[in-house]
Amino acid sequence: MRYFLPFLLFPVPAFAFDRPIPQPQTETAEFWFLVASVALIAALAAVHWLVARR
């Protein structure tokens, strides 16, 4: 408990920073997200087709 006491006495420096602001998506990032989404759907369809054949 004695090690926790300084944090109770001086809590302000722990919260003295600005939160980061997220940046907007770029068109390149949106394009690669679209490619990854289509690839995932194609992979799921391929797995479904392979499992349904058994």
Side-chain angles (χ1 to χ4, degrees):
M1 184 67 186
R2 64 181 166 170
Y3 297 112
F4 189 65
L5 187 59
F7 293 111
L8 291 176
L9 295 176
F10 304 105
V12 176
F15 302 105
F17 66 92
D18 291 332
R19 293 178 56 190
I21 300 172
Q23 299 297 319
Q25 292 277 340
T26 62
E27 287 189 28
T28 306
E30 289 183 6
F31 168 75
W32 284 113
F33 185 80
L34 173 68
V35 170
S37 299
V38 170
L40 177 64
I41 292 170
L44 288 172
V47 168
H48 173 71
W49 180 68
L50 286 172
V51 170
R53 284 183 28 184
R54 288 186 107 206

